Amino acid sequence: MAAVEASAPVEDVLNATRQRAGDIHLRKRLSTLTVDELAALREAFRLSQETADSRGYGHFASLHGFPEPGYCEHGNQLFLPWHRGYLYFFEQSLQDLVPGVSLPWWDWTETSELPPAFSDAADHGGQANPLLDAPVVAADGLRGADWPERTSRPTERGDTWLPSIGLPTQADVDLVMAAANFDDFTLALADLHNAVHVWIGGEMGDQRFAGWDPLFWVHHTMVDRVWAMWQLAHPGDNPRLEHLGKGLNYFKDMTVGQTLNFTDLGYDYAADEVLVVGA
Amino acid sequence: MATWDSQPFSTQPLRAGYRRADVELQGVDQAVPSYEGRLFLNRAEADRETALAAEEGYLGSFHVFGKVFCWGEDERHCEQPDEREFDRRRYPNRYAKARVRTIDGLLRELVSKSGDQATLHIVAVLPEREDYAQYKAEDVLRFERLSIVTYA
């Protein structure tokens, strides 16, 4: 879906007007972010990484795998709802820091490499790119006493990639989208998701530390978008009834059932946005 | 290199008519290093260099996004406790389900070239990292059950 707005003020590019109006915000394709939108995203990540308490990056990053055995759900029907809630609460924390910012989706089908926005060493202003890596510290800015030595430096990717497998293609996504029921769909999408984690390697290839790599968030936003598209094509095909009343583990305020309608969570997925400014 | 080989199994049920066939793994341990599991039929010598092609017996891959290992020193540290009445806590799952749906006709084609029995082989491909080199098959390929499920 491409949104076209007439006479939109320039500052509207960051969903700020939508937020003021109480409207849902748009998550855009990473490769179509404007310079301003990318700068806002970087600023939000930078400020989040500088926040050493439960509002900051270390807190959210650590919840995926810590305290052991971690809170994340994988390989079952709660995989998608749990990560949708996880993205929601993290995105809310980013919006506390930079109003109107939203998580973009990294469309792995359009590339065979890491996105430059998350792999360039510096941002447009020449400052260190906070989307490249992040210090592996918990909410208090400290590290677990038993965390491996290799994680004492910022997150890494690089030469840990598997040489023979690539990122998922559109054909892979089409195969997932062809799943006939939620159970099939979630397992197929989970495997595609796993493949990306394995392909990137480094901290992303380790369930405990993956949340610290900034790529984690845009990877999972893509996963969430694929689920959203599948939902639109399969209304009512959801996790089993017995799961719907369950809280999302750490995020107990949100139940599985409350994750199902993504517009109720205040967002939708857009491909791009064309601003049309008055003469 | 971590590999797993099945015992010979009967191919008779796989020759019958079916619309879909899945290789299904239950109870896949996630407290292992992340890896790609490549499935081969009748190709015991397959390794990470073997081409991912039907003529090599390649059936498809699954991927395990692992947490490397459980750090807890106490017994059952990373195990999910048995369910109890009135226990409303929810524990993260250590064991996952993975499913590799085979490509239409591929299994049929490969089975047609098999005898009455066949073997399945998994090659676990790990990132080429020094600290991963220490892992053996039993450290990586840990699952409760593997089966081929057909749907009529």
Side-chain angles (χ1 to χ4, degrees):
Chain A
M1 179 186 72
V4 180
E5 293 191 358
S7 303
V10 172
E11 61 267 27
D12 194 35
V13 294
L14 305 179
N15 282 312
T17 308
R18 287 175 170 276
Q19 189 164 306
R20 282 195 294 274
D23 199 358
I24 61 172
H25 66 264
L26 299 176
R27 291 179 177 174
K28 288 177 59 177
R29 188 197 302 265
L30 175 60
S31 61
T32 66
L33 292 186
T34 65
V35 170
D36 286 346
E37 287 166 341
L38 182 55
L41 184 69
R42 284 177 165 150
E43 181 65 4
F45 269 69
R46 190 190 321 276
L47 292 170
S48 182
Q49 289 165 10
E50 290 172 0
T51 304
D53 59 31
S54 61
R55 298 168 301 171
Y57 197 83
H59 171 68
F60 287 97
S62 64
L63 291 176
H64 196 259
F66 294 98
E68 274 206 299
Y71 291 106
C72 59
E73 297 280 359
H74 292 96
N76 62 22
Q77 288 216 338
L78 301 184
F79 164 63
L80 292 168
W82 189 86
H83 285 85
R84 178 168 282 177
Y86 192 33
L87 291 178
Y88 169 84
F89 285 103
F90 177 62
E91 188 176 57
Q92 291 292 321
S93 78
L94 294 181
Q95 291 176 350
D96 289 341
L97 301 168
V98 178
V101 76
S102 61
L103 288 168
W105 39 283
W106 170 34
D107 187 350
W108 352 269
T109 67
E110 64 176 8
T111 180
S112 58
E113 297 177 336
L114 296 179
F118 282 73
S119 55
D120 288 345
D123 64 17
H124 287 99
Q127 302 294 311
N129 180 6
L131 304 181
L132 173 67
D133 55 26
V136 184
V137 292
D140 52 8
L142 302 174
R143 292 169 40 75
D146 54 353
W147 292 1
E149 179 63 23
R150 66 177 170 77
T151 61
S152 60
R153 41 96 183 118
T155 51
E156 282 186 357
R157 307 160 193 149
D159 58 3
T160 59
W161 299 355
L162 289 177
S164 54
I165 60 171
L167 290 166
T169 64
Q170 186 58 48
D172 295 325
V173 173
D174 291 345
L175 208 57
V176 169
M177 290 293 288
N181 58 62
F182 181 78
D183 197 55
D184 270 358
F185 173 76
T186 198
L187 284 176
L189 182 53
D191 190 63
L192 221 58
H193 144 275
N194 289 356
V196 175
H197 276 283
V198 174
W199 183 77
I200 295 169
E203 273 61 56
M204 271 289 273
D206 184 332
Q207 205 180 99
R208 299 163 304 172
F209 293 101
W212 273 281
D213 189 326
L215 257 183
F216 174 95
W217 303 100
V218 290
H219 164 46
H220 268 279
T221 306
M222 174 66 174
V223 172
D224 187 67
R225 172 181 165 266
V226 175
W227 182 27
M229 291 192 303
W230 191 84
Q231 285 183 293
L232 294 174
H234 300 80
D237 199 343
N238 295 319
R240 288 194 300 276
L241 198 59
E242 70 197 66
H243 292 316
L244 301 184
K246 290 177 180 170
L248 297 181
N249 214 327
Y250 180 82
F251 306 107
K252 291 185 175 63
D253 291 345
M254 185 178 288
T255 64
V256 170
Q258 287 169 335
T259 68
L260 300 181
N261 187 335
F262 51 91
T263 56
D264 277 354
L265 299 180
Y267 67 88
D268 198 353
Y269 285 101
D272 203 349
E273 181 181 34
V274 179
L275 273 176
V276 182
V277 182
Chain B
M1 184 180 68
T3 59
W4 178 91
D5 302 307
S6 78
Q7 294 180 12
F9 55 89
S10 171
T11 58
Q12 197 56 41
L14 305 178
R15 295 176 189 279
Y18 52 83
R19 62 180 166 81
R20 172 181 145 192
D22 295 344
V23 173
E24 195 170 284
L25 292 102
Q26 300 282 351
V28 180
D29 193 352
Q30 298 178 96
V32 299
S34 297
Y35 65 92
E36 177 192 3
R38 296 178 182 169
L39 287 151
F40 293 89
L41 196 73
N42 298 329
R43 192 78 160 84
E45 66 280 18
D47 59 23
R48 66 184 293 151
E49 306 302 328
T50 305
L52 308 183
E55 52 268 30
E56 300 289 349
Y58 177 66
L59 282 172
S61 289
F62 63 94
H63 302 82
V64 172
F65 174 36
K67 54 180 69 177
V68 185
F69 57 88
C70 173
W71 289 350
E73 293 178 358
D74 52 316
E75 199 175 350
R76 288 174 60 93
H77 175 269
C78 283
E79 294 292 335
Q80 183 164 328
D82 297 333
E83 286 186 15
R84 295 194 305 266
E85 198 76 30
F86 304 116
D87 182 0
R88 296 186 179 205
R89 294 172 299 174
R90 172 155 183 84
Y91 296 93
N93 62 315
R94 172 171 171 174
Y95 300 98
K97 183 159 68 171
R99 189 178 295 163
V100 181
R101 184 178 301 182
T102 53
I103 301 164
D104 285 347
L106 178 59
L107 182 66
R108 225 176 255 113
E109 178 190 331
L110 291 173
V111 165
S112 71
K113 296 174 184 170
S114 302
D116 291 340
Q117 294 204 312
T119 52
L120 199 64
H121 310 275
I122 305 176
V123 177
V125 182
L126 281 73
E128 291 176 314
R129 241 172 57 184
E130 274 183 26
D131 55 336
Y132 276 21
Q134 61 180 302
Y135 295 111
K136 301 181 178 66
E138 58 268 29
D139 300 322
V140 178
L141 288 163
R142 298 206 307 231
F143 50 86
E144 285 180 35
R145 193 169 189 273
L146 187 154
S147 61
I148 300 173
V149 183
T150 59
Y151 296 84

